[in-house]
Amino acid sequence: MYTLILMSSRKNSVRQHTLHRTHILLCFFVVLFLLIAAIGGFNYGLSQKHLKISAEEQAQANAKQQIEEITRAKVQAESELTDINEEMKSIREMTEQILQTLGILGQGGGDSRELPISEAAMASANVEQENVVLPLERVAEDIDGKQEPLTVSLLKDEVLVLHDYISTHQKQVDEYPSILPVDLQQADGEKLAYWYSSQFGWRNHPLTKQREFHQGLDIKTPSGIPVIAAAAGKVAAVKTNGNLGKTIEIEHEAILLKTLYAHLQDYADGLKVGDPVTRGQLIGYVGNTGRSTGSHLHYGIYDISRENWINPVKYILDQQPTVSP
């Protein structure tokens, strides 16, 4: 038991209180509890504040990461879109080249490679050129920089014109002599080189040295290389000509043209007059027969309607000699 004495300085009074040990312990525990509660509350407030700050920092980090991912996706999408636009432009260029070659691009189009199908061939095939040209006015406008940006829909419309033309005039397309008439691809994967040893036009003959008009294109390749039909048609002649040696003539009736293959080493087995051939079909082999200075293919194209020889180079699509003579 304890005695608590309280003295007043003004009234000179003294008060005594008897405290049991139990009361003291109770007061001690109450004070201790309040102190612990205060410290706990303070720590809880600090922890909640830290949690809130951490949550905000995490949210900011997540938002930053999402922004970075969106930015990367945007850059990738822009890159892919650029690639797609380049592919679309490439498709348009190829389409325009085919249209120019077929002679259906319309006024203002074309270049030095443009070679329209002859008027007689058009007439015989009942091809209404104006019906083909009108949908392509937008193509010509775009070349001048006046057309709306290229879109998938616009490109589809332009390609559809070509598709419809080819579908309607498949025979004329099949008989158009559009490929190099020699097969340079070897079985082992190697592709042989070639060059034009003599172009179409005036030249000094390599044997006589006299100036004369060369009516074809001399394609220099090794002897024995397969010669293939430049287009579908019908074999009109398989014969030996004194100057041209072994020759083959193929008539392309739908477009009123004839192709000539000369100085051949030999003919394909079983090939005879009247046989139908397809583009790329084996018809013979490069040789040195007739009046020739070395193995090569003399390739000519004859316009039946105009009765004259024309330059074969303009008909060969995307084929440039691999070496110079």
Side-chain angles (χ1 to χ4, degrees):
M1 181 180 296
Y2 298 92
T3 302
L4 179 64
I5 301 175
L6 301 175
M7 301 179 64
S8 175
S9 59
R10 284 186 286 182
K11 295 184 179 181
N12 296 323
S13 60
V14 177
R15 293 184 181 181
Q16 295 183 1
H17 298 277
T18 301
L19 299 175
H20 294 281
R21 186 176 181 181
T22 304
H23 295 157
I24 294 174
L25 289 174
L26 179 62
C27 290
F28 174 78
F29 283 116
V30 169
V31 172
L32 181 62
F33 174 78
L34 293 175
L35 180 61
I36 293 173
I39 294 174
F42 179 75
N43 288 335
Y44 177 77
L46 285 178
S47 64
Q48 289 299 311
K49 183 177 181 180
H50 289 156
L51 288 175
K52 184 177 180 180
I53 293 174
S54 298
E56 291 177 351
E57 291 176 347
Q58 184 63 40
Q60 291 177 355
N62 291 339
K64 183 179 179 180
Q65 183 178 0
Q66 290 177 355
I67 292 173
E68 291 176 350
E69 291 176 354
I70 293 173
T71 302
R72 285 195 296 268
K74 179 176 178 290
V75 171
Q76 182 177 357
E78 290 175 346
S79 175
E80 292 176 352
L81 182 59
T82 299
D83 292 340
I84 291 173
N85 286 334
E86 290 300 320
E87 288 294 329
M88 290 171 62
K89 290 179 181 178
S90 176
I91 293 172
R92 164 177 276 185
E93 290 171 358
M94 289 187 291
T95 302
E96 290 174 2
Q97 184 178 11
I98 295 172
L99 293 173
Q100 290 166 3
T101 304
L102 294 177
I104 60 174
L105 182 61
Q107 298 299 323
D111 54 19
S112 60
R113 295 177 61 86
E114 180 177 353
L115 207 163
I117 298 175
S118 65
E119 295 176 3
M122 287 289 188
S124 66
N126 294 321
V127 179
E128 297 180 1
Q129 285 184 284
E130 57 274 7
N131 292 338
V132 181
V133 172
L134 286 177
L136 295 172
E137 289 177 351
R138 291 187 299 178
V139 179
E141 290 175 0
D142 184 71
I143 295 174
D144 295 334
K146 301 176 182 179
Q147 180 56 36
E148 60 188 291
L150 183 61
T151 63
V152 174
S153 177
L154 180 58
L155 182 62
K156 181 178 179 181
D157 289 342
E158 295 172 0
V159 174
L160 187 61
V161 173
L162 178 60
H163 175 271
D164 290 345
Y165 179 88
I166 293 176
S167 298
T168 304
H169 309 290
Q170 187 66 53
K171 184 173 176 61
Q172 290 94 309
V173 174
D174 290 342
E175 295 195 6
Y176 191 89
S178 58
I179 65 173
L180 190 73
V182 288
D183 185 2
L184 303 171
Q185 189 67 50
Q186 301 297 290
D188 60 2
E190 180 186 2
K191 192 169 185 178
L192 298 179
Y194 75 99
W195 65 89
Y196 299 147
S197 56
S198 186
Q199 295 276 359
F200 178 87
W202 288 100
R203 67 167 186 175
N204 291 327
H205 193 280
L207 292 176
T208 66
K209 306 303 180 181
Q210 298 295 317
R211 186 166 176 77
E212 64 174 21
F213 193 88
H214 188 225
Q215 296 178 332
L217 177 68
D218 287 348
I219 303 171
K220 183 67 175 178
T221 62
S223 182
I225 293 299
V227 175
I228 56 179
K234 184 172 65 176
V235 177
V238 179
K239 62 183 180 180
T240 299
N241 180 298
N243 292 331
L244 296 176
K246 292 183 177 181
T247 64
I248 296 173
E249 295 178 8
I250 298 177
E251 186 175 349
H252 311 282
E253 183 181 7
I255 58 173
L256 299 180
L257 293 179
K258 180 175 67 175
T259 51
L260 170 70
Y261 312 80
H263 300 302
L264 301 177
Q265 180 186 78
D266 206 349
Y267 309 113
D269 291 341
L271 189 73
K272 61 184 183 298
V273 174
D275 285 350
V277 294
T278 59
R279 179 184 287 115
Q281 179 178 328
L282 174 68
I283 58 174
Y285 302 91
V286 173
N288 188 29
T289 59
R291 193 168 65 166
S292 171
T293 59
S295 63
H296 71 282
L297 173 68
H298 174 88
Y299 174 52
I301 299 180
Y302 185 76
D303 188 328
I304 298 173
S305 63
R306 296 179 180 177
E307 299 182 348
N308 64 347
W309 294 92
I310 52 183
N311 191 351
V313 170
K314 294 184 177 181
Y315 281 83
I316 301 173
L317 299 180
D318 298 327
Q319 288 285 354
Q320 296 298 323
T322 50
V323 294
S324 298

PDB file of all heavy atoms in Angstrom, residues 101-103 115-125 127 129 165 172 176 252-257 302-306 308 310 315:
ATOM      1  N   THR A 101       1.922  -2.753-122.065  1.00  0.00           N
ATOM      2  CA  THR A 101       2.339  -3.750-123.041  1.00  0.00           C
ATOM      3  C   THR A 101       1.160  -4.256-123.853  1.00  0.00           C
ATOM      4  O   THR A 101       1.269  -4.503-125.059  1.00  0.00           O
ATOM      5  CB  THR A 101       3.025  -4.929-122.326  1.00  0.00           C
ATOM      6  OG1 THR A 101       4.108  -4.435-121.544  1.00  0.00           O
ATOM      7  CG2 THR A 101       3.556  -5.944-123.330  1.00  0.00           C
ATOM      8  N   LEU A 102       0.019  -4.402-123.188  1.00  0.00           N
ATOM      9  CA  LEU A 102      -1.177  -4.856-123.891  1.00  0.00           C
ATOM     10  C   LEU A 102      -1.818  -3.739-124.702  1.00  0.00           C
ATOM     11  O   LEU A 102      -2.747  -3.980-125.478  1.00  0.00           O
ATOM     12  CB  LEU A 102      -2.198  -5.419-122.891  1.00  0.00           C
ATOM     13  CG  LEU A 102      -1.784  -6.698-122.155  1.00  0.00           C
ATOM     14  CD1 LEU A 102      -2.848  -7.087-121.146  1.00  0.00           C
ATOM     15  CD2 LEU A 102      -1.544  -7.832-123.129  1.00  0.00           C
ATOM     16  N   GLY A 103      -1.345  -2.500-124.504  1.00  0.00           N
ATOM     17  CA  GLY A 103      -1.866  -1.377-125.282  1.00  0.00           C
ATOM     18  C   GLY A 103      -3.224  -0.906-124.830  1.00  0.00           C
ATOM     19  O   GLY A 103      -4.000  -0.407-125.625  1.00  0.00           O
ATOM     20  N   LEU A 115       3.947  -1.275-126.467  1.00  0.00           N
ATOM     21  CA  LEU A 115       3.787  -1.824-127.797  1.00  0.00           C
ATOM     22  C   LEU A 115       2.364  -2.339-127.929  1.00  0.00           C
ATOM     23  O   LEU A 115       2.063  -3.466-127.578  1.00  0.00           O
ATOM     24  CB  LEU A 115       4.798  -2.953-128.030  1.00  0.00           C
ATOM     25  CG  LEU A 115       5.206  -3.177-129.486  1.00  0.00           C
ATOM     26  CD1 LEU A 115       6.478  -3.982-129.559  1.00  0.00           C
ATOM     27  CD2 LEU A 115       4.114  -3.797-130.304  1.00  0.00           C
ATOM     28  N   PRO A 116       1.420  -1.512-128.379  1.00  0.00           N
ATOM     29  CA  PRO A 116       0.014  -1.920-128.453  1.00  0.00           C
ATOM     30  C   PRO A 116      -0.184  -3.068-129.428  1.00  0.00           C
ATOM     31  O   PRO A 116       0.545  -3.219-130.404  1.00  0.00           O
ATOM     32  CB  PRO A 116      -0.696  -0.654-128.948  1.00  0.00           C
ATOM     33  CG  PRO A 116       0.257   0.460-128.684  1.00  0.00           C
ATOM     34  CD  PRO A 116       1.620  -0.131-128.807  1.00  0.00           C
ATOM     35  N   ILE A 117      -1.181  -3.876-129.156  1.00  0.00           N
ATOM     36  CA  ILE A 117      -1.587  -4.905-130.101  1.00  0.00           C
ATOM     37  C   ILE A 117      -2.063  -4.213-131.369  1.00  0.00           C
ATOM     38  O   ILE A 117      -2.700  -3.166-131.331  1.00  0.00           O
ATOM     39  CB  ILE A 117      -2.703  -5.772-129.485  1.00  0.00           C
ATOM     40  CG1 ILE A 117      -2.170  -6.475-128.227  1.00  0.00           C
ATOM     41  CG2 ILE A 117      -3.249  -6.776-130.471  1.00  0.00           C
ATOM     42  CD1 ILE A 117      -3.221  -7.249-127.476  1.00  0.00           C
ATOM     43  N   SER A 118      -1.739  -4.784-132.500  1.00  0.00           N
ATOM     44  CA  SER A 118      -2.051  -4.128-133.774  1.00  0.00           C
ATOM     45  C   SER A 118      -3.543  -3.862-133.916  1.00  0.00           C
ATOM     46  O   SER A 118      -4.371  -4.582-133.365  1.00  0.00           O
ATOM     47  CB  SER A 118      -1.574  -5.011-134.934  1.00  0.00           C
ATOM     48  OG  SER A 118      -2.299  -6.226-134.960  1.00  0.00           O
ATOM     49  N   GLU A 119      -3.871  -2.811-134.672  1.00  0.00           N
ATOM     50  CA  GLU A 119      -5.274  -2.444-134.871  1.00  0.00           C
ATOM     51  C   GLU A 119      -6.042  -3.573-135.544  1.00  0.00           C
ATOM     52  O   GLU A 119      -7.205  -3.827-135.227  1.00  0.00           O
ATOM     53  CB  GLU A 119      -5.341  -1.173-135.715  1.00  0.00           C
ATOM     54  CG  GLU A 119      -4.731   0.048-135.020  1.00  0.00           C
ATOM     55  CD  GLU A 119      -4.744   1.255-135.925  1.00  0.00           C
ATOM     56  OE1 GLU A 119      -5.278   1.141-137.045  1.00  0.00           O
ATOM     57  OE2 GLU A 119      -4.230   2.314-135.520  1.00  0.00           O
ATOM     58  N   ALA A 120      -5.399  -4.241-136.485  1.00  0.00           N
ATOM     59  CA  ALA A 120      -6.069  -5.352-137.173  1.00  0.00           C
ATOM     60  C   ALA A 120      -6.394  -6.477-136.200  1.00  0.00           C
ATOM     61  O   ALA A 120      -7.460  -7.087-136.258  1.00  0.00           O
ATOM     62  CB  ALA A 120      -5.178  -5.864-138.309  1.00  0.00           C
ATOM     63  N   ALA A 121      -5.445  -6.731-135.279  1.00  0.00           N
ATOM     64  CA  ALA A 121      -5.687  -7.787-134.293  1.00  0.00           C
ATOM     65  C   ALA A 121      -6.834  -7.398-133.374  1.00  0.00           C
ATOM     66  O   ALA A 121      -7.679  -8.224-133.017  1.00  0.00           O
ATOM     67  CB  ALA A 121      -4.425  -8.048-133.473  1.00  0.00           C
ATOM     68  N   MET A 122      -6.865  -6.125-132.981  1.00  0.00           N
ATOM     69  CA  MET A 122      -7.962  -5.643-132.148  1.00  0.00           C
ATOM     70  C   MET A 122      -9.295  -5.804-132.864  1.00  0.00           C
ATOM     71  O   MET A 122     -10.292  -6.234-132.283  1.00  0.00           O
ATOM     72  CB  MET A 122      -7.735  -4.167-131.778  1.00  0.00           C
ATOM     73  CG  MET A 122      -6.640  -3.945-130.754  1.00  0.00           C
ATOM     74  SD  MET A 122      -7.141  -4.530-129.135  1.00  0.00           S
ATOM     75  CE  MET A 122      -5.772  -3.907-128.146  1.00  0.00           C
ATOM     76  N   ALA A 123      -9.293  -5.431-134.130  1.00  0.00           N
ATOM     77  CA  ALA A 123     -10.535  -5.512-134.898  1.00  0.00           C
ATOM     78  C   ALA A 123     -10.993  -6.959-135.044  1.00  0.00           C
ATOM     79  O   ALA A 123     -12.181  -7.266-134.902  1.00  0.00           O
ATOM     80  CB  ALA A 123     -10.340  -4.883-136.273  1.00  0.00           C
ATOM     81  N   SER A 124     -10.040  -7.858-135.305  1.00  0.00           N
ATOM     82  CA  SER A 124     -10.422  -9.261-135.494  1.00  0.00           C
ATOM     83  C   SER A 124     -10.933  -9.880-134.210  1.00  0.00           C
ATOM     84  O   SER A 124     -11.712 -10.827-134.226  1.00  0.00           O
ATOM     85  CB  SER A 124      -9.218 -10.057-136.005  1.00  0.00           C
ATOM     86  OG  SER A 124      -8.201 -10.109-135.009  1.00  0.00           O
ATOM     87  N   ALA A 125     -10.451  -9.337-133.068  1.00  0.00           N
ATOM     88  CA  ALA A 125     -10.884  -9.879-131.772  1.00  0.00           C
ATOM     89  C   ALA A 125     -12.067  -9.126-131.203  1.00  0.00           C
ATOM     90  O   ALA A 125     -12.541  -9.443-130.114  1.00  0.00           O
ATOM     91  CB  ALA A 125      -9.719  -9.837-130.784  1.00  0.00           C
ATOM     92  N   VAL A 127     -12.168  -6.164-129.901  1.00  0.00           N
ATOM     93  CA  VAL A 127     -11.811  -5.544-128.635  1.00  0.00           C
ATOM     94  C   VAL A 127     -12.207  -4.076-128.662  1.00  0.00           C
ATOM     95  O   VAL A 127     -11.724  -3.325-129.492  1.00  0.00           O
ATOM     96  CB  VAL A 127     -10.292  -5.662-128.384  1.00  0.00           C
ATOM     97  CG1 VAL A 127      -9.927  -4.989-127.075  1.00  0.00           C
ATOM     98  CG2 VAL A 127      -9.876  -7.135-128.364  1.00  0.00           C
ATOM     99  N   GLN A 129     -11.534  -0.883-127.269  1.00  0.00           N
ATOM    100  CA  GLN A 129     -10.520  -0.274-126.442  1.00  0.00           C
ATOM    101  C   GLN A 129     -11.083   0.797-125.512  1.00  0.00           C
ATOM    102  O   GLN A 129     -10.659   0.915-124.372  1.00  0.00           O
ATOM    103  CB  GLN A 129      -9.436   0.345-127.323  1.00  0.00           C
ATOM    104  CG  GLN A 129      -8.507  -0.705-127.951  1.00  0.00           C
ATOM    105  CD  GLN A 129      -7.421  -0.024-128.717  1.00  0.00           C
ATOM    106  OE1 GLN A 129      -7.660   0.461-129.811  1.00  0.00           O
ATOM    107  NE2 GLN A 129      -6.225   0.009-128.163  1.00  0.00           N
ATOM    108  N   TYR A 165      -9.985  -7.796-118.377  1.00  0.00           N
ATOM    109  CA  TYR A 165      -9.483  -7.802-119.749  1.00  0.00           C
ATOM    110  C   TYR A 165      -8.883  -9.167-120.084  1.00  0.00           C
ATOM    111  O   TYR A 165      -9.161  -9.745-121.137  1.00  0.00           O
ATOM    112  CB  TYR A 165      -8.438  -6.709-119.942  1.00  0.00           C
ATOM    113  CG  TYR A 165      -7.856  -6.689-121.343  1.00  0.00           C
ATOM    114  CD1 TYR A 165      -8.474  -5.959-122.349  1.00  0.00           C
ATOM    115  CD2 TYR A 165      -6.711  -7.416-121.636  1.00  0.00           C
ATOM    116  CE1 TYR A 165      -7.960  -5.958-123.635  1.00  0.00           C
ATOM    117  CE2 TYR A 165      -6.187  -7.422-122.924  1.00  0.00           C
ATOM    118  CZ  TYR A 165      -6.818  -6.695-123.916  1.00  0.00           C
ATOM    119  OH  TYR A 165      -6.302  -6.698-125.181  1.00  0.00           O
ATOM    120  N   GLN A 172      -5.872 -13.862-126.724  1.00  0.00           N
ATOM    121  CA  GLN A 172      -4.926 -12.847-127.173  1.00  0.00           C
ATOM    122  C   GLN A 172      -3.755 -12.737-126.197  1.00  0.00           C
ATOM    123  O   GLN A 172      -2.600 -12.597-126.604  1.00  0.00           O
ATOM    124  CB  GLN A 172      -5.598 -11.475-127.313  1.00  0.00           C
ATOM    125  CG  GLN A 172      -6.579 -11.396-128.474  1.00  0.00           C
ATOM    126  CD  GLN A 172      -7.990 -11.708-128.016  1.00  0.00           C
ATOM    127  OE1 GLN A 172      -8.211 -12.718-127.367  1.00  0.00           O
ATOM    128  NE2 GLN A 172      -8.926 -10.843-128.367  1.00  0.00           N
ATOM    129  N   TYR A 176       0.411 -13.597-126.830  1.00  0.00           N
ATOM    130  CA  TYR A 176       1.300 -12.434-126.837  1.00  0.00           C
ATOM    131  C   TYR A 176       2.711 -12.903-126.496  1.00  0.00           C
ATOM    132  O   TYR A 176       2.960 -13.466-125.424  1.00  0.00           O
ATOM    133  CB  TYR A 176       0.826 -11.409-125.803  1.00  0.00           C
ATOM    134  CG  TYR A 176       1.500 -10.071-125.918  1.00  0.00           C
ATOM    135  CD1 TYR A 176       0.989  -9.079-126.732  1.00  0.00           C
ATOM    136  CD2 TYR A 176       2.667  -9.798-125.203  1.00  0.00           C
ATOM    137  CE1 TYR A 176       1.610  -7.846-126.838  1.00  0.00           C
ATOM    138  CE2 TYR A 176       3.292  -8.574-125.309  1.00  0.00           C
ATOM    139  CZ  TYR A 176       2.754  -7.600-126.134  1.00  0.00           C
ATOM    140  OH  TYR A 176       3.382  -6.387-126.233  1.00  0.00           O
ATOM    141  N   HIS A 252       0.675 -16.809-134.332  1.00  0.00           N
ATOM    142  CA  HIS A 252      -0.180 -16.406-133.212  1.00  0.00           C
ATOM    143  C   HIS A 252      -1.390 -15.690-133.819  1.00  0.00           C
ATOM    144  O   HIS A 252      -1.414 -14.458-133.950  1.00  0.00           O
ATOM    145  CB  HIS A 252       0.595 -15.507-132.254  1.00  0.00           C
ATOM    146  CG  HIS A 252       1.940 -16.078-131.875  1.00  0.00           C
ATOM    147  ND1 HIS A 252       2.095 -17.074-130.944  1.00  0.00           N
ATOM    148  CD2 HIS A 252       3.191 -15.801-132.362  1.00  0.00           C
ATOM    149  CE1 HIS A 252       3.377 -17.375-130.834  1.00  0.00           C
ATOM    150  NE2 HIS A 252       4.065 -16.615-131.691  1.00  0.00           N
ATOM    151  N   GLU A 253      -2.354 -16.466-134.218  1.00  0.00           N
ATOM    152  CA  GLU A 253      -3.467 -15.990-135.030  1.00  0.00           C
ATOM    153  C   GLU A 253      -4.298 -14.921-134.338  1.00  0.00           C
ATOM    154  O   GLU A 253      -4.772 -13.975-134.975  1.00  0.00           O
ATOM    155  CB  GLU A 253      -4.351 -17.186-135.420  1.00  0.00           C
ATOM    156  CG  GLU A 253      -5.510 -16.835-136.337  1.00  0.00           C
ATOM    157  CD  GLU A 253      -6.371 -18.049-136.662  1.00  0.00           C
ATOM    158  OE1 GLU A 253      -6.143 -19.120-136.070  1.00  0.00           O
ATOM    159  OE2 GLU A 253      -7.265 -17.915-137.508  1.00  0.00           O
ATOM    160  N   ALA A 254      -4.493 -15.049-133.026  1.00  0.00           N
ATOM    161  CA  ALA A 254      -5.385 -14.124-132.311  1.00  0.00           C
ATOM    162  C   ALA A 254      -4.880 -12.691-132.349  1.00  0.00           C
ATOM    163  O   ALA A 254      -5.676 -11.751-132.294  1.00  0.00           O
ATOM    164  CB  ALA A 254      -5.577 -14.586-130.868  1.00  0.00           C
ATOM    165  N   ILE A 255      -3.560 -12.508-132.423  1.00  0.00           N
ATOM    166  CA  ILE A 255      -3.016 -11.141-132.452  1.00  0.00           C
ATOM    167  C   ILE A 255      -2.280 -10.859-133.754  1.00  0.00           C
ATOM    168  O   ILE A 255      -1.591  -9.836-133.868  1.00  0.00           O
ATOM    169  CB  ILE A 255      -2.088 -10.894-131.242  1.00  0.00           C
ATOM    170  CG1 ILE A 255      -0.930 -11.897-131.221  1.00  0.00           C
ATOM    171  CG2 ILE A 255      -2.855 -10.942-129.938  1.00  0.00           C
ATOM    172  CD1 ILE A 255       0.099 -11.594-130.158  1.00  0.00           C
ATOM    173  N   LEU A 256      -2.415 -11.744-134.728  1.00  0.00           N
ATOM    174  CA  LEU A 256      -1.858 -11.554-136.065  1.00  0.00           C
ATOM    175  C   LEU A 256      -0.350 -11.299-136.036  1.00  0.00           C
ATOM    176  O   LEU A 256       0.161 -10.374-136.676  1.00  0.00           O
ATOM    177  CB  LEU A 256      -2.575 -10.399-136.777  1.00  0.00           C
ATOM    178  CG  LEU A 256      -4.085 -10.591-137.000  1.00  0.00           C
ATOM    179  CD1 LEU A 256      -4.677  -9.389-137.701  1.00  0.00           C
ATOM    180  CD2 LEU A 256      -4.364 -11.869-137.780  1.00  0.00           C
ATOM    181  N   LEU A 257       0.357 -12.153-135.298  1.00  0.00           N
ATOM    182  CA  LEU A 257       1.806 -12.106-135.262  1.00  0.00           C
ATOM    183  C   LEU A 257       2.371 -13.489-135.572  1.00  0.00           C
ATOM    184  O   LEU A 257       1.678 -14.502-135.461  1.00  0.00           O
ATOM    185  CB  LEU A 257       2.314 -11.653-133.880  1.00  0.00           C
ATOM    186  CG  LEU A 257       2.021 -10.216-133.445  1.00  0.00           C
ATOM    187  CD1 LEU A 257       2.579  -9.971-132.053  1.00  0.00           C
ATOM    188  CD2 LEU A 257       2.570  -9.198-134.430  1.00  0.00           C
ATOM    189  N   TYR A 302       7.102 -11.150-136.607  1.00  0.00           N
ATOM    190  CA  TYR A 302       6.569 -10.611-137.858  1.00  0.00           C
ATOM    191  C   TYR A 302       5.117 -10.204-137.670  1.00  0.00           C
ATOM    192  O   TYR A 302       4.296 -10.974-137.169  1.00  0.00           O
ATOM    193  CB  TYR A 302       6.662 -11.676-138.959  1.00  0.00           C
ATOM    194  CG  TYR A 302       6.254 -11.195-140.327  1.00  0.00           C
ATOM    195  CD1 TYR A 302       7.096 -10.391-141.082  1.00  0.00           C
ATOM    196  CD2 TYR A 302       5.020 -11.564-140.864  1.00  0.00           C
ATOM    197  CE1 TYR A 302       6.720  -9.959-142.349  1.00  0.00           C
ATOM    198  CE2 TYR A 302       4.642 -11.132-142.130  1.00  0.00           C
ATOM    199  CZ  TYR A 302       5.490 -10.327-142.870  1.00  0.00           C
ATOM    200  OH  TYR A 302       5.118  -9.895-144.108  1.00  0.00           O
ATOM    201  N   ASP A 303       4.814  -8.946-138.044  1.00  0.00           N
ATOM    202  CA  ASP A 303       3.449  -8.426-137.965  1.00  0.00           C
ATOM    203  C   ASP A 303       2.730  -8.799-139.264  1.00  0.00           C
ATOM    204  O   ASP A 303       3.011  -8.242-140.330  1.00  0.00           O
ATOM    205  CB  ASP A 303       3.477  -6.905-137.776  1.00  0.00           C
ATOM    206  CG  ASP A 303       2.094  -6.325-137.482  1.00  0.00           C
ATOM    207  OD1 ASP A 303       1.089  -6.879-137.988  1.00  0.00           O
ATOM    208  OD2 ASP A 303       2.024  -5.337-136.750  1.00  0.00           O
ATOM    209  N   ILE A 304       1.813  -9.759-139.168  1.00  0.00           N
ATOM    210  CA  ILE A 304       1.129 -10.262-140.357  1.00  0.00           C
ATOM    211  C   ILE A 304       0.254  -9.190-140.996  1.00  0.00           C
ATOM    212  O   ILE A 304       0.191  -9.068-142.223  1.00  0.00           O
ATOM    213  CB  ILE A 304       0.289 -11.501-139.990  1.00  0.00           C
ATOM    214  CG1 ILE A 304       1.204 -12.621-139.477  1.00  0.00           C
ATOM    215  CG2 ILE A 304      -0.525 -11.993-141.189  1.00  0.00           C
ATOM    216  CD1 ILE A 304       0.444 -13.822-138.941  1.00  0.00           C
ATOM    217  N   SER A 305      -0.415  -8.382-140.183  1.00  0.00           N
ATOM    218  CA  SER A 305      -1.333  -7.378-140.727  1.00  0.00           C
ATOM    219  C   SER A 305      -0.592  -6.280-141.473  1.00  0.00           C
ATOM    220  O   SER A 305      -1.072  -5.774-142.486  1.00  0.00           O
ATOM    221  CB  SER A 305      -2.179  -6.773-139.602  1.00  0.00           C
ATOM    222  OG  SER A 305      -1.351  -6.096-138.664  1.00  0.00           O
ATOM    223  N   ARG A 306       0.582  -5.898-140.989  1.00  0.00           N
ATOM    224  CA  ARG A 306       1.345  -4.817-141.621  1.00  0.00           C
ATOM    225  C   ARG A 306       2.434  -5.343-142.559  1.00  0.00           C
ATOM    226  O   ARG A 306       3.111  -4.557-143.222  1.00  0.00           O
ATOM    227  CB  ARG A 306       1.974  -3.934-140.548  1.00  0.00           C
ATOM    228  CG  ARG A 306       0.941  -3.227-139.690  1.00  0.00           C
ATOM    229  CD  ARG A 306       1.594  -2.368-138.627  1.00  0.00           C
ATOM    230  NE  ARG A 306       0.607  -1.680-137.809  1.00  0.00           N
ATOM    231  CZ  ARG A 306       0.899  -0.910-136.765  1.00  0.00           C
ATOM    232  NH1 ARG A 306       2.164  -0.741-136.423  1.00  0.00           N
ATOM    233  NH2 ARG A 306      -0.054  -0.327-136.075  1.00  0.00           N
ATOM    234  N   ASN A 308       5.445  -6.639-141.953  1.00  0.00           N
ATOM    235  CA  ASN A 308       6.817  -6.205-141.697  1.00  0.00           C
ATOM    236  C   ASN A 308       7.312  -6.802-140.370  1.00  0.00           C
ATOM    237  O   ASN A 308       6.532  -7.202-139.510  1.00  0.00           O
ATOM    238  CB  ASN A 308       6.928  -4.680-141.678  1.00  0.00           C
ATOM    239  CG  ASN A 308       6.127  -4.058-140.553  1.00  0.00           C
ATOM    240  OD1 ASN A 308       5.295  -4.711-139.926  1.00  0.00           O
ATOM    241  ND2 ASN A 308       6.377  -2.794-140.287  1.00  0.00           N
ATOM    242  N   ILE A 310       9.154  -6.586-136.710  1.00  0.00           N
ATOM    243  CA  ILE A 310       9.152  -5.596-135.626  1.00  0.00           C
ATOM    244  C   ILE A 310      10.160  -6.003-134.564  1.00  0.00           C
ATOM    245  O   ILE A 310      10.586  -7.153-134.497  1.00  0.00           O
ATOM    246  CB  ILE A 310       7.740  -5.433-135.011  1.00  0.00           C
ATOM    247  CG1 ILE A 310       7.159  -6.788-134.620  1.00  0.00           C
ATOM    248  CG2 ILE A 310       6.811  -4.719-135.970  1.00  0.00           C
ATOM    249  CD1 ILE A 310       5.760  -6.719-134.069  1.00  0.00           C
ATOM    250  N   TYR A 315       8.801  -6.632-126.807  1.00  0.00           N
ATOM    251  CA  TYR A 315       7.816  -7.613-126.363  1.00  0.00           C
ATOM    252  C   TYR A 315       8.301  -8.447-125.180  1.00  0.00           C
ATOM    253  O   TYR A 315       7.514  -9.144-124.547  1.00  0.00           O
ATOM    254  CB  TYR A 315       7.471  -8.564-127.524  1.00  0.00           C
ATOM    255  CG  TYR A 315       6.505  -7.977-128.516  1.00  0.00           C
ATOM    256  CD1 TYR A 315       6.950  -7.144-129.542  1.00  0.00           C
ATOM    257  CD2 TYR A 315       5.148  -8.249-128.428  1.00  0.00           C
ATOM    258  CE1 TYR A 315       6.068  -6.603-130.457  1.00  0.00           C
ATOM    259  CE2 TYR A 315       4.249  -7.709-129.341  1.00  0.00           C
ATOM    260  CZ  TYR A 315       4.717  -6.891-130.348  1.00  0.00           C
ATOM    261  OH  TYR A 315       3.823  -6.352-131.254  1.00  0.00           O
TER     262      TYR A 315
END
